[in-house]
């Protein structure tokens, strides 16, 4: 085979592979695995897979925490599959709070665009607390897996936009994990040092049983 012809075949093969490897838009009809969704066929990909409109719409804060989270995770935004990032919008009404929670799969960067948000996290080694009142234009980072929170620190609505280092970073809210499930109250009392009245009260508020 002529060397030039062989080189041409290699380049064509590389170009086709590179086109596929440019992105892996999630095929949401398949399962979500630890390594992400399988790729949609390139022929089926459109520009809309790479665009998400939801972050421009305020979330509904008429709930128990007076807050709303609008995610742009892979399930809502297939184009970020495999890219190591995602985003969300955070709306906090006066008195609003995002309770202590973790993202097991990613670190978080928050940017305040309106109001005042008191934010902080707790280290896992010494339980050191890092807390700050953030105003418009401020940014704070929360390392992966650490407990952190956000509270509206003003008298008007607060808004922030968040970037996370995983298309599907996961979310576990500590209070809901403890009091919004069927874990028996006796066990919750043992692991939290709370009395029976407080545990059952919180289960009642958050929808837990037993």
């Amino acid at each position: 085979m002529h060397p030039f012809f062989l080189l041409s075949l290699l380049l064509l093969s590389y170009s086709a592979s590179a086109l596929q490897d440019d992105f892996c838009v999630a095929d949401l009809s398949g399962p979500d695995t630890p390594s992400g969704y399988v790729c949609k066929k390139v022929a089926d990909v459109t520009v809309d897979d790479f665009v998400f409109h939801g972050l421009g719409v305020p979330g509904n804060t008429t709930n128990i925490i007076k807050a709303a989270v609008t995610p742009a995770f892979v399930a809502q935004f297939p184009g970020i599959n495999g890219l190591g990032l995602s985003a969300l919008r955070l709306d906090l009404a006066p008195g609003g709070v995002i309770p202590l929670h973790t993202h097991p799969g990613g670190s978080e960067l928050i940017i305040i665009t309106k109001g005042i948000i008191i934010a902080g996290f707790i280290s896992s080694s010494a339980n050191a607390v890092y807390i700050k009142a953030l105003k418009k234009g401020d940014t704070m980072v929360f390392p992966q897996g650490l407990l952190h929170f956000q509270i509206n620190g003003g008298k008007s609505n607060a808004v922030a936009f968040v970037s996370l280092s995983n298309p599907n970073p996961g979310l576990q809210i500590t209070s809901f994990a403890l009091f919004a499930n069927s874990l028996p109250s006796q066990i919750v009392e043992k692991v939290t040092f709370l009395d029976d009245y407080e545990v059952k009260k919180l289960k009642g508020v958050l929808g837990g049983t037993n």
Side-chain angles (χ1 to χ4, degrees):
M1 182 179 292
H2 193 281
F4 179 77
F5 183 64
L6 179 60
L7 179 61
S8 298
L9 287 176
L10 288 172
L11 288 173
L12 285 171
S13 175
Y14 172 78
S15 297
S17 175
L19 178 63
Q20 177 64 57
D21 292 342
D22 281 342
F23 48 77
C24 176
V25 173
D27 180 356
L28 299 179
S29 67
D32 183 14
T33 71
S35 58
Y37 287 91
V38 298
C39 305
K40 182 188 288 190
K41 293 180 180 178
V42 174
D44 296 331
V45 173
T46 73
V47 68
D48 289 333
D49 290 314
F50 303 102
V51 177
F52 182 77
H53 299 286
L55 299 188
V57 181
N60 182 1
T61 59
T62 56
N63 51 59
I64 191 172
I65 60 175
K66 299 181 181 178
V69 175
T70 305
F73 295 169
V74 66
Q76 298 83 28
F77 195 3
I80 64 174
N81 189 50
L83 297 183
L85 54 83
S86 59
L88 60 84
R89 174 184 174 130
L90 176 61
D91 289 277
L92 290 166
V97 57
I98 301 296
L100 278 171
H101 65 282
T102 68
H103 301 291
S107 298
E108 174 180 332
L109 181 77
I110 188 171
I111 303 170
I112 313 304
T113 60
K114 181 181 180 181
I116 299 171
I117 293 179
I118 300 170
F121 67 89
I122 303 170
S123 75
S124 64
S125 55
N127 289 321
V129 177
Y130 301 88
I131 185 171
K132 190 74 173 180
L134 306 172
K135 62 183 185 302
K136 182 178 178 180
D138 288 342
T139 302
M140 186 171 182
V141 66
F142 309 97
Q144 179 173 334
L146 296 187
L147 286 166
H148 59 286
F149 62 89
Q150 292 92 21
I151 301 171
N152 189 332
K155 297 180 179 180
S156 60
N157 291 341
V159 179
F161 291 89
V162 172
S163 175
L164 298 112
S165 62
N166 191 315
N168 192 9
L171 170 67
Q172 186 171 41
I173 299 177
T174 307
S175 53
F176 284 84
L178 286 169
F179 305 112
N181 59 32
S182 60
L183 191 63
S185 295
Q186 295 89 339
I187 293 178
V188 178
E189 292 158 21
K190 288 287 187 182
V191 300
T192 62
F193 304 103
L194 295 173
D195 62 32
D196 185 66
Y197 172 80
E198 286 296 333
V199 168
K200 289 182 176 175
K201 174 184 175 182
L202 290 166
K203 277 180 171 282
V205 170
L206 297 177
T209 59
N210 288 333

